[in-house]
Structures are given as C-alpha cells and as structure tokens.
Amino acid sequence: MEAETPSRRARARSEAKTPLTPSLVAAMANVAINAPARPPSPIKRTTCASIALSDALQRQAGAGVIRKGGVESRLDVVTRDYVPQLKRSRSTPASARRDRFITNRDSDNDVAATLEQMHLNPKSASPAHTARLVAATGVPLNRRILAYHEQPPAPPSDSHSVLAQHREFARPLYAQRGAAIPNSIGATKSRKIPTQPERVLDAPGLVDDFYLNLLAWSSANSVAVALEASTYIWKADTGAVTQLADAPEGTYVSSVDFSNDGAFLGVGLGSGDVELWDVESAQKLRTMSGHQGQVATLSWHQHILTSGCGDGSIWHHDVRIPRHKVMELLGHTGEVCGLKWRSDGELLASGGNDNVVNIWDGRLGNVARGNTKWTKRNHTAAVKAIAWCPWQPSLLASGGGTNDATINIWNTTTGARLHSLKTPSQITSLLWAPAKKEILSTHGFPTNAVMVHAYPSMERVAEIRDAHDARVLFSCLSPNGDVVCTGAGDENLKFWRIWDSGEEKARKKKVVSDVGGGRINSTKEGILSIR
C-alpha cells in the first residue's frame, strides 16, 4: 500500500466541510467588514440593467445633475477624454507645436481667438468709444488706412502688343542716322550748314592735279594759292591781293605752306627746289635744292621745313643754317603727296602714291636717317589726305584715292586702327574741327562733295554735294576754325562756314564782308577777284 504524502493529507483535511449552524449564521451577520470605497468610474456607462436610460436622464447626466425621486445629486462628469502625460526624455522637445517665439501655443483655437481680437471692428468694443476714435482720426469705420485712391489699372489683354507699342515710342531715342543722305543739297536735321559759299574767288590757272598741294591759310589770316608758276597772297582781313613770287622759267609751283607764325612761306617747285619767302616784304630769302623730283607737299614745325619728293624721299630742312638738310626719311617707294607734323613736333605723318601711311619719330638726332614708328598698308590707293586731331593728339586721320575712298582713324600710340569709313568717291583732303568732335572731308569724282562726319561714330552729319563743278582737290581751315576754303579744278576758291567759332551771336551774324572784307582787288587779270 502506497504511503500518503503530506499534500494529500492537507487536501483531504480541506475537503472536509463545516456545517452552517443557525448560531454561526447569526454571528456572521453581526460582523462588519470595513472595505475601502470604490471611486466612481470616469467613463460614463451607457446602459444599466436596473435603470432605464431616457433622453431627459441623459441631458441631466451631461449637465452633471440627476434628479430621482425629488432628490438631487451632483455628479462630476468628465467632458474631455483623458490623455495620459508621457514622461519625455531629455532629448525630446516639450511640444511639437511650440517654437522659439510663441511658447504657449497649444491649439489652433488660440490663434483664431487672437485673430478675432485683431478685427477692425470687434463686437465687444464700445460703440461710443469707436465713434470717438472715428471722429478723432478721421478714418471711416471698416476702411483701411493704407489703400489706393483709385483702382489699379487692369492688366492688358495682350501684353505683347503693349510692349511693342512702347518699343515703337522709344525707337527714335535709339535710332541711328542713315549712312546716306537723300537730299544732296542739304544736311541732316541735327546738323545745318550753309549749302552756298560765303565767298567765291576766281583762281585762273589753278592746276587740276590730285598729287599737288596748292592752298594754305596762315595764322595771320592770309591765304596763299599757287596758280601755275605764280604764287598769290590774299589777305582775308582787307581783301587785298598781292603776287608774291614767280617760279623760274620752265617749272611750276607744286606746293605751298606757311610757317607756324605765318611770317614765312615755303614754296615747292616742280624742279625739286624749295624756296623760302618773307610774306610781309615779299622777298625771297633762300632756295634749298637737292631733291630729284617735284616737291608735292610741305609741312612746317618751328624752324624745320619738311618736304616730300616725287622719288619717295622726305627731307628735313633747317632754315636757320646754310647746310639746310639735317635728316632724310626713306620709307616710301612712290611719290610723297601727303605730309603733316603733329602740333607738338614729336611725330610726323606721311602718305604716298605707294598706298602707304608712315608715322615717323619727329625728334632730330645726330643720325642722318630717321626710322618709322608705324607703317600702315591698309589703303588701296594713293594717300594724300593726312590730318592730326587737335583735341586728341594721338589720333591721325588718313584718306585714300579713287580705288580706296576710305577714311581710316589711327591711334598713333598703339598703332591700332580705331575706325574705318568707306566713302562714295576719292578723298582729297581731311580737316578736323578744332572745337567740335567732327572731321571734314573733300572729295573728287563723282560727287565733288564736302562732307562732315561725327566722331567717333563716323556718321555723316552734313554734306554739300557738287560743291564745285570739278573735283575738290584742296582745302584749308581759317585760324578761327569756323570757315573752310576749298579749291578745285574749276579754277574757283570757295569759302564755306562749316562750324561756329564759339563767339557771341553778334559776331556770328556778321555779313559776308567780314571774310575778306568787301574790297575788290585791282589786278588786271581778275585773279582772286570777287565773283
């Protein structure tokens, strides 16, 4: 027989039932059990087995008051669900809705309430206080303080058409003048020059030769013109004409040029000689020989008279010493027909029949031959027209003959060509305006014109077409810088007022007699007489 374990004995004893006697029941009824009261549930029950729920009871429960049998009891009703507060770590922000500026933002209702308080006419405001504010500020109620007085214009239906219209209105501000002037006898609207000369002088015997330079105007207001073998001086102040010199028999005058002070006149001859004349006394001072061809061009700087020869050589003559030739410049293979000193004497420009422009160092040293600083071969015809700019010394203008008909502007400091302008005919001479950014050019066939170009645009701002009946070969500028004298193969000298001298209006309105007076000269041949 198997032995009983202790657990079995205990279970056997617990299974034994104690009978409930009447005395035991009475004793248990008298025992009071003090148990803790259970707190009411926070969740409102919706059903109950003993109490029927009605609409009135639900309304009472929602209000927190229940009336039953005349007894009123108040209940603590929770209107919001319980949200447990989670314990956050140090790395978790306090609230996702908070920011660095507004730290107490809990819900969107607060923002809505704030906006309601900012309303211009809050309902809670006193009507009397609002009326006083309106009267004090003068601003009508419910009207913005900053507002347009008028409604903004409505956007155009077609913005592209409006933009095109604006561009059309602004087009004249950016339009460029046309290169060609339709009216051959006038000038453009922005530049008016007389189309008729102020004076015309007869010059019989004026040689029609492109390569010669037969006209000069001195600083003493005298005009020198070579007529075949004779040289004449016309004084613009008085209109008096004097015959200065006659060339030796068998030769002719090929070039003339005044010294810087106007006291002396250099005369180049077809034989290669260069003569020096005193203008006031009409006496020849000396003859400087040595060239092997005609001297087609002359240019002065102080006491140095430079001559260009038909054999391509250029000589510097010092008129103060017996041995006049102080330097020879060799850089042309054709006849030298253009020659100009710069006003400061540092550079000399030359042009030749070999289509070359040379710019020489003008400083005289102990060497017998000079060297070119720049050599330009851009022209395709003979270069006779040479002019230095008076208000920007580094600028040099050059013009080519019939096959070229081009004006080139050079920077003599860098050697660069700055501008180039093609013209309709050969260029015979160039003149810069002293007080205006313009340059004048004279032309041969077929236009025989005088043109004025703006700088640096190089646009043609004025033109006198058919200024002469033959090609305009020579030109010179008055000392005042306003009148240009032109000579042509039609044996006439014409004076044109191209620029204003900058003086008072009274001086501008003087009659034609101010240019050379009104005196008619008494020469029998009628040379340089008023027409």
Side-chain angles (χ1 to χ4, degrees):
M1 181 175 181
E2 185 179 283
E4 294 183 354
T5 60
S7 60
R8 287 183 178 181
R9 287 196 299 268
R11 184 168 58 251
R13 286 194 298 269
S14 62
E15 290 177 354
K17 297 183 179 179
T18 302
L20 294 177
T21 62
S23 59
L24 182 59
V25 172
M28 293 179 62
N30 294 329
V31 176
I33 301 176
N34 296 327
R38 181 180 178 181
S41 175
I43 303 176
K44 182 173 62 177
R45 300 180 181 270
T46 59
T47 61
C48 181
S50 61
I51 301 176
L53 296 178
S54 62
D55 295 339
L57 185 60
Q58 289 182 356
R59 287 195 299 268
Q60 293 177 9
V65 178
I66 297 179
R67 294 180 180 88
K68 183 178 180 180
V71 179
E72 179 177 306
S73 61
R74 182 173 296 276
L75 304 178
D76 293 332
V77 180
V78 179
T79 59
R80 292 187 181 181
D81 294 337
Y82 172 75
V83 179
Q85 297 292 333
L86 299 178
K87 186 177 180 180
R88 59 185 178 88
S89 62
R90 295 182 180 180
S91 60
T92 305
S95 175
R97 293 181 177 272
R98 296 180 181 179
D99 53 32
R100 55 184 297 187
F101 299 109
I102 305 176
T103 59
N104 296 326
R105 178 181 296 170
D106 293 335
S107 64
D108 296 338
N109 295 332
D110 298 338
V111 179
T114 304
L115 294 177
E116 182 66 22
Q117 293 178 1
M118 295 173 61
H119 195 271
L120 294 177
N121 188 20
K123 297 180 181 179
S124 62
S126 173
H129 180 66
T130 303
R132 287 193 298 270
L133 289 178
V134 170
T137 59
V139 178
L141 194 63
N142 291 332
R143 181 178 178 181
R144 294 185 179 182
I145 298 177
L146 299 177
Y148 289 105
H149 292 286
E150 298 179 359
Q151 292 294 331
S157 58
D158 190 358
S159 59
H160 296 285
S161 62
V162 175
L163 181 59
Q165 185 178 7
H166 290 173
R167 287 178 177 175
E168 187 66 24
F169 290 155
R171 189 182 302 275
L173 300 177
Y174 301 95
Q176 296 182 354
R177 301 184 182 94
I181 299 177
N183 188 359
S184 62
I185 61 174
T188 59
K189 294 181 179 180
S190 61
R191 188 75 168 87
K192 296 291 186 180
I193 62 174
T195 58
Q196 297 297 325
E198 291 191 351
R199 177 178 292 276
V200 180
L201 300 180
D202 285 328
L206 188 63
V207 179
D208 187 1
D209 191 334
F210 172 82
Y211 298 98
L212 305 185
N213 292 271
L214 305 178
L215 193 62
W217 202 327
S218 73
S219 59
N221 206 16
S222 297
V223 177
V225 58
L227 306 178
E228 295 182 346
S230 301
T231 304
Y232 292 87
I233 300 295
W234 178 76
K235 295 185 178 180
D237 296 333
T238 62
V241 179
T242 57
Q243 183 177 354
L244 183 65
D246 285 326
E249 187 177 355
T251 188
Y252 55 91
V253 179
S254 55
S255 60
V256 293
D257 192 40
F258 282 102
S259 60
N260 300 128
D261 57 3
F264 305 98
L265 179 69
V267 178
L269 303 178
S271 60
D273 295 338
V274 178
E275 296 180 346
L276 182 62
W277 290 79
D278 188 314
V279 177
E280 187 65 26
S281 62
Q283 294 182 355
K284 183 171 69 173
L285 302 179
R286 63 182 303 179
T287 299
M288 296 173 287
S289 303
H291 283 298
Q292 302 300 317
Q294 72 172 3
V295 179
T297 180
L298 295 171
S299 183
W300 281 86
H301 175 65
Q302 296 181 355
H303 56 275
I304 299 297
L305 176 59
T306 303
S307 59
C309 183
D311 59 4
S313 63
I314 300 173
W315 286 12
H316 290 324
H317 306 272
D318 191 340
V319 298
R320 304 171 300 174
I321 57 178
R323 301 188 61 165
H324 52 85
K325 180 182 177 182
V326 293
M327 183 175 289
E328 182 178 8
L329 307 177
L330 299 177
H332 290 278
T333 58
E335 180 177 10
V336 179
C337 51
L339 199 62
K340 288 292 180 182
W341 276 99
R342 198 166 76 174
S343 59
D344 57 4
E346 292 186 1
L347 294 177
L348 173 70
S350 62
N353 197 25
D354 54 357
N355 313 338
V356 173
V357 176
N358 282 326
I359 302 172
W360 308 83
D361 188 345
R363 294 171 295 181
L364 300 179
N366 296 325
V367 296
R369 294 183 179 180
N371 297 319
T372 58
K373 181 179 180 180
W374 306 105
T375 297
K376 302 300 177 183
R377 306 181 186 274
N378 301 78
H379 290 285
T380 58
V383 182
K384 175 190 177 184
I386 296 287
W388 289 97
C389 181
W391 35 265
Q392 191 170 347
S394 62
L395 294 182
L396 174 68
S398 61
T402 305
N403 295 331
D404 183 68
T406 303
I407 300 175
N408 289 327
I409 308 296
W410 311 94
N411 185 333
T412 57
T413 302
T414 63
R417 182 172 62 171
L418 303 180
H419 307 281
S420 183
L421 175 66
K422 184 71 175 180
T423 65
S425 57
Q426 69 176 167
I427 302 169
T428 57
S429 66
L430 293 171
L431 294 172
W432 288 92
K436 198 176 184 68
K437 288 190 175 182
E438 292 180 351
I439 184 171
L440 177 142
S441 60
T442 61
H443 300 265
F445 297 122
T447 60
N448 301 334
V450 175
M451 299 181 185
V452 180
H453 310 274
Y455 185 84
S457 65
M458 300 304 292
E459 295 177 359
R460 190 186 313 171
V461 297
E463 177 185 8
I464 306 174
R465 191 177 288 265
D466 296 324
H468 286 264
D469 295 334
R471 56 180 180 173
V472 185
L473 295 174
F474 322 110
S475 70
C476 56
L477 184 63
S478 67
N480 204 25
D482 54 350
V483 178
V484 174
C485 177
T486 58
D490 58 359
E491 299 184 344
N492 289 326
L493 298 183
K494 294 184 178 181
F495 295 83
W496 313 87
R497 188 170 295 276
I498 304 297
W499 297 292
D500 293 332
S501 60
E503 298 179 358
E504 299 178 357
K505 292 183 179 180
R507 185 173 182 85
K508 294 179 182 179
K509 294 182 179 180
K510 285 191 175 183
V511 296
V512 175
S513 59
D514 287 345
V515 182
R519 176 179 175 182
I520 301 177
N521 64 77
S522 58
T523 55
K524 295 180 180 180
E525 299 84 357
I527 298 175
L528 300 183
S529 60
I530 300 176
R531 295 188 61 182

